[in-house]
Amino acid sequence: MTHQLTSNHEHPFAANIRNVYCIGRNYKLHALELGNDVPTKPMVFMKPSHSVVPIADRTPLELPLHQGAVHHEIEIVLYIGREVTPDTTVDEAIEAVALGLDFTLRDVQETLKAKGHPWLPAKGVHNSGPITNTIPFEGVQQVICTPFALLCNGEVVQQGTAADMIFDLQQLIQYVASNYGLSKGDVIFTGTPAGVGAVQAGDVLELQWNGEAIGSCVIEAKQ
């Protein structure tokens, strides 16, 4: 299936982004590969809206590689189209979906975790939340059944489906809404499957939805 994507100048993040919620450790194998416990409830953190940038075709993306390992984490991103109340279904809440990357300064994060400090310096730097143009949302079953993947220099490094999540989309929107609030303009990065790894300057990352490339970026070292 060929999806009609929004153009760059229509990208929802350009003007409408509000809160950027992120779900940690929502795929069991990813939690285990980093030596973390599998969570018993959604683990929520946030990125600044300034960390989120649109990517299209080989968009240059500067990252602070001089601060140590920077890991790629591909994720399904949900655009929320209305206020979420206790009786709101996920099909009613989601306006569109996209793929995004939650870039993580892993060495920085490990230092922060050891000190018990917040993750912002590891998760919230500029360009750490690039996102593709949107895919029309055709219902939660479409999202659950559609495979997504990340290719680095032409090789698959991460892949999965929403069916692999520990907490499903309905659980995520209700948990975020009940604890922090969720309404139009908010987005949720829903967690990453196993296979995270460090990027290098010059790497080309391609994000695929159902085998179709819907966005790519070229990593550059921030000076």
Side-chain angles (χ1 to χ4, degrees), residues 107-218:
D107 292 341
V108 173
Q109 185 188 40
E110 291 303 316
T111 299
L112 294 169
K113 287 166 62 177
K115 295 179 178 180
H117 291 176
W119 290 2
L120 183 63
K123 291 282 194 178
V125 297
H126 288 295
N127 299 332
S128 64
I131 195 164
T132 68
N133 289 327
T134 55
I135 303 161
F137 178 64
E138 299 170 359
V140 68
Q141 289 304 314
Q142 167 224 14
V143 177
I144 290 174
C145 296
T146 304
F148 63 96
L150 178 67
L151 281 66
C152 182
N153 302 322
E155 296 187 6
V156 175
V157 289
Q158 289 186 268
Q159 57 187 333
T161 69
D164 301 327
M165 292 179 179
I166 297 171
F167 305 103
D168 64 29
L169 302 186
Q170 184 68 45
Q171 291 173 298
L172 293 182
I173 67 162
Q174 286 298 340
Y175 185 86
V176 173
S178 63
N179 285 280
Y180 311 110
L182 197 57
S183 58
K184 185 175 179 63
D186 293 339
V187 297
I188 302 177
F189 281 66
T190 56
T192 193
V196 302
V199 297
Q200 307 296 330
D203 283 349
V204 178
L205 302 182
E206 180 179 283
L207 295 81
Q208 292 189 352
W209 179 257
N210 202 24
E212 176 187 350
I214 62 170
S216 63
C217 59
V218 181

Side-chain angles (χ1 to χ4, degrees), residues 8 11 53-57 59-61 99 101 130-133 205 207 214-217:
N8 281 342
H11 198 290
V53 291
I55 57 173
D57 182 16
T59 302
L61 198 73
L99 291 176
L101 290 164
I131 195 164
T132 68
N133 289 327
L205 302 182
L207 295 81
I214 62 170
S216 63
C217 59

